[in-house]
Amino acid sequence: MPKILEIVKILKSKKNILDIILVRGWVKTRRDSKLGISFISIHDGSCLNSLQIIAKKKNIKNYSNEILKLNSGCSIEVLGTVVKSIGKKQKYEVLAKKIKVLGLVKNPEKYPISSKNHTLEYLREVAHLRPRTNIIGAITRIRNTVSYAIHRFMYEKGFYWISTPIISTSDAEGAGKTFLIYTEYLKNQKISYSKTKFFGKKTFLTVSGQLNAESYACALSKVYTFGPTFRAENSNTTRHLSELWMVEPEMAFIDLKKIIHFSEKMLKYIFQFVLLERYEDLKFLSRKNSSIITRIENFINTKMKVIEYSDAIEILNQEKKYSNFLWGQDLSIEQEKFLSNEYFNSIVAIKNYPKSIKAFYMRINKDKKTVSSFDIITPEIGEIIGGSQREERLKFLDKRIKECKLKKEEYWWYRDLRKYGTVPHSGFGMGLERLVCFITGMKNVRDTIPFPRSRNQAEF
Ligand code: 4AD
Ligand code: MG
């Protein structure tokens, strides 16, 4: 029985393997020489590079009737020997003994992902086939490495990963961007919405696992959630998805300063891990955006800049294009980009925002006007992290619940955490798709999640 090898194992092999192996994948290109030799390059997703298969007419039985019909997208299984490549492009190639065609591309002219360059916009329309392209393959591998790095970092730091509910009863952010849940079966009986409440109360798809994470942090000290969250964003932007993946660490006995420091350490760990594990993919993506590697290296090697919201306002007002920016206003994406791209030319954290533009659970500062909050903003994609120290004092929390016109009864269990052994605690949420955008240089979050969901888009 020959060894079954993935392409990455063959290409990265240290010894001069000459064994008989079995390799499988999809054809990228085929080129034939006049001497009855075909050069077929195949990919299997295990790495960026494809593997060259040499098929000689004299050795391959189905050469004329099948091999010469292979084109981009066909799937094949190759039995052959790994040999050192004569060509300079790759170290090894496979000299085929047998090639089994697993699946042909019936109408090559109709194959949506032919080998020519496609725009990212076009690729979104064929999201079921786009993972076969180099670019989406590279992004997929990087996204996986980022997720693994996050779990690894958390584990090393003694955090427990907890699953917070996807079916939720409170709009943690209070932004009213929730998707309501009802059952089809009850709806079909044409009864009013109030009776379609399967759970006996209003439920949504969660916008954040934070409130539940706080409950566990106030018992296990260090926890995090990492899962899908949902936002009914009514706008079509390059930064908003309806379904996004969020990492939310929550720590007891930690204040704003420490949580900001922690977020910096986490980002540095992720960047370092991606550089180490996915350099080839990064290098490939840097052909499209040459700064991606240097900017993550620079971030690793420098201390993250942390500024006050008030300082941000001052900087923006000094710049003529943003004159008359009033204290209390939220920063627009253009302003965030200006600060991060042009002014600081790096990732920056902004802290202590006015309470009026932030959620009810953030700890009120001594000035009574601002809350212990922070956002981390990056060049191009803007905010990637939003977090805060939580209001652990019941009196202040109740006041904020009232100010924000929320229903106190709905937060009974959240308030309980402040009644029974309350402690200072802090946390943040980081959007995986935006982080992957920053790392890969992609400009649209829809290219960093396999099947993006957004307003009027739920195909596939
Ligand atoms: O700033 P946000 O809304 O914070 C929260 O939800 C807090 N409850 C998190 C916490 O403290 N545990 O969202 C956090 C991050 C944003 O910085 C952004 O990266 C991402 O989630 N995000 C989105 N990403 C893509 N599409 C959207 N619609 C997003 N909304 C938020
Ligand atoms: Mg935010």
Side-chain angles (χ1 to χ4, degrees):
M1 193 53 194
K3 224 184 196 169
I4 301 171
L5 285 183
E6 289 170 343
I7 293 174
V8 68
K9 297 257 166 64
I10 298 173
L11 296 181
K12 293 259 160 78
S13 172
K14 295 230 159 53
K15 52 180 185 173
N16 290 340
I17 28 174
L18 295 160
D19 319 355
I20 296 266
I21 56 102
L22 200 64
V23 62
R24 299 174 283 211
W26 292 265
V27 172
K28 265 211 148 74
T29 55
R30 194 197 83 232
R31 181 166 61 79
D32 309 311
S33 82
K34 286 191 189 112
L35 307 163
I37 304 174
S38 292
F39 303 88
I40 310 158
S41 83
I42 62 167
H43 66 102
D44 67 357
S46 62
C47 59
L48 180 74
N49 292 321
S50 40
L51 177 72
Q52 177 152 280
I53 310 290
I54 316 279
K56 294 187 177 166
K57 189 176 178 182
K58 61 174 190 198
N59 302 337
I60 306 290
K61 268 197 211 144
N62 52 350
Y63 186 83
S64 305
N65 62 340
E66 286 195 307
I67 303 308
L68 290 180
K69 289 191 188 133
L70 289 179
N71 39 43
S72 181
C74 295
S75 48
I76 58 171
E77 180 179 88
V78 181
L79 181 81
T81 42
V82 178
V83 294
K84 275 203 152 172
S85 180
I86 306 159
K88 278 195 184 124
K89 272 190 176 164
Q90 62 278 316
K91 201 168 156 199
Y92 297 111
E93 56 196 19
V94 168
L95 188 58
K97 280 190 185 321
K98 252 191 213 168
I99 299 180
K100 191 168 154 189
V101 177
L102 301 175
L104 283 171
V105 169
K106 303 262 160 60
N107 296 311
E109 64 289 346
K110 285 198 177 153
Y111 183 52
I113 311 277
S114 54
S115 53
K116 58 179 186 281
N117 281 335
H118 296 293
T119 64
L120 290 164
E121 288 75 15
Y122 169 75
L123 290 179
R124 276 175 229 144
E125 289 168 23
V126 288
H128 59 310
L129 293 167
R130 70 174 182 168
R132 296 183 186 189
T133 61
N134 279 339
I135 188 154
I136 300 296
I139 295 168
T140 306
R141 283 184 292 273
I142 289 173
R143 182 183 164 106
N144 172 62
T145 301
V146 169
S147 306
Y148 177 63
I150 290 166
H151 282 298
R152 213 174 116 125
F153 175 74
M154 294 296 175
Y155 197 86
E156 283 173 12
K157 296 277 170 214
F159 279 69
Y160 302 114
W161 174 58
I162 59 160
S163 314
T164 48
I166 285 172
I167 298 174
S168 145
T169 51
S170 54
D171 175 2
E173 293 307 295
K177 288 178 178 163
T178 51
F179 287 102
L180 286 175
I181 295 173
Y182 64 82
T183 61
E184 184 116 54
Y185 138 78
L186 287 170
K187 190 192 141 213
N188 288 344
Q189 293 180 5
K190 296 208 167 44
I191 50 175
S192 66
Y193 171 72
S194 61
K195 296 215 174 104
T196 64
K197 291 174 192 162
F198 182 87
F199 298 99
K201 52 164 40 181
K202 208 170 170 184
T203 47
F204 327 96
L205 293 180
T206 187
V207 295
S208 157
Q210 179 199 321
L211 306 193
N212 300 85
E214 282 185 54
S215 143
Y216 268 63
C218 291
L220 295 164
S221 299
K222 291 191 273 189
V223 299
Y224 71 107
T225 75
F226 191 171
T229 57
F230 306 85
R231 308 240 167 149
E233 304 278 356
N234 204 8
S235 50
N236 250 318
T237 78
T238 54
R239 304 176 305 124
H240 292 97
L241 288 165
S242 306
E243 184 177 299
L244 62 127
W245 280 67
M246 212 194 280
V247 192
E248 298 181 271
E250 194 69 35
M251 294 162 93
F253 318 111
I254 291 291
D255 64 7
L256 183 70
K257 192 171 174 208
K258 289 206 178 110
I259 195 73
I260 296 177
H261 182 59
F262 176 82
S263 67
E264 179 183 357
K265 279 212 285 207
M266 184 185 81
L267 283 175
K268 287 184 171 165
Y269 185 98
I270 298 168
F271 292 166
Q272 223 141 18
F273 198 75
V274 173
L275 273 179
L276 194 72
E277 295 283 309
R278 299 256 70 101
Y279 195 75
E280 212 171 64
D281 287 319
L282 284 173
K283 206 78 199 144
F284 169 74
L285 292 168
S286 65
R287 285 193 222 160
K288 246 179 139 44
N289 185 336
S290 61
S291 64
I292 58 170
I293 295 180
T294 44
R295 72 186 185 189
I296 61 177
E297 280 173 343
N298 286 346
F299 183 76
I300 292 169
N301 297 323
T302 45
K303 196 164 158 38
M304 180 172 74
K305 192 108 196 122
V306 183
I307 62 163
E308 294 281 332
Y309 165 86
S310 304
D311 297 337
I313 301 300
E314 207 161 291
I315 294 167
L316 290 170
N317 277 332
Q318 273 164 14
E319 297 301 314
K320 298 287 176 277
K321 24 183 184 172
Y322 300 110
S323 62
N324 262 341
F325 187 68
L326 299 176
W327 193 96
Q329 279 178 273
D330 208 354
L331 300 176
S332 67
I333 174 68
E334 284 69 33
Q335 289 160 341
E336 286 182 348
K337 276 192 201 170
F338 168 79
L339 289 169
S340 185
N341 281 359
E342 293 175 45
Y343 198 85
F344 292 107
N345 189 25
S346 154
I347 294 184
V348 357
I350 303 176
K351 63 176 183 177
N352 296 321
Y353 283 80
K355 65 173 182 179
S356 55
I357 54 167
K358 290 289 177 190
F360 76 97
Y361 53 72
M362 298 187 179
R363 195 177 199 274
I364 196 96
N365 285 327
K366 282 201 181 107
D367 62 13
K368 302 266 164 56
K369 288 194 317 194
T370 59
V371 283
S372 291
S373 55
F374 76 108
D375 277 3
I376 291 186
I377 58 173
T378 59
E380 287 170 16
I381 203 78
E383 177 195 333
I384 55 162
I385 286 182
S388 70
Q389 181 167 349
R390 318 309 188 186
E391 185 54 84
E392 85 284 15
R393 303 158 298 179
L394 189 62
K395 199 174 84 187
F396 290 97
L397 181 69
D398 282 349
K399 203 165 162 239
R400 283 293 287 151
I401 288 179
K402 205 168 161 192
E403 272 175 17
C404 297
K405 298 193 170 58
L406 299 169
K407 291 191 186 119
K408 203 165 142 183
E409 322 78 78
E410 282 177 10
Y411 295 90
W412 68 271
W413 63 268
Y414 188 70
R415 295 174 64 250
D416 264 5
L417 302 173
R418 278 73 184 165
K419 286 185 197 166
Y420 307 124
T422 193
V423 289
H425 61 285
S426 303
F428 62 85
M430 176 171 73
L432 181 62
E433 291 72 25
R434 288 198 191 164
L435 176 68
V436 176
C437 271
F438 174 73
I439 294 174
T440 58
M442 289 299 111
K443 306 237 177 336
N444 194 320
V445 278
R446 291 169 213 199
D447 300 322
T448 60
I449 187 166
F451 298 101
R453 297 305 185 228
S454 56
R455 180 86 171 123
N456 292 325
Q457 199 202 349
E459 192 63 53
F460 308 104

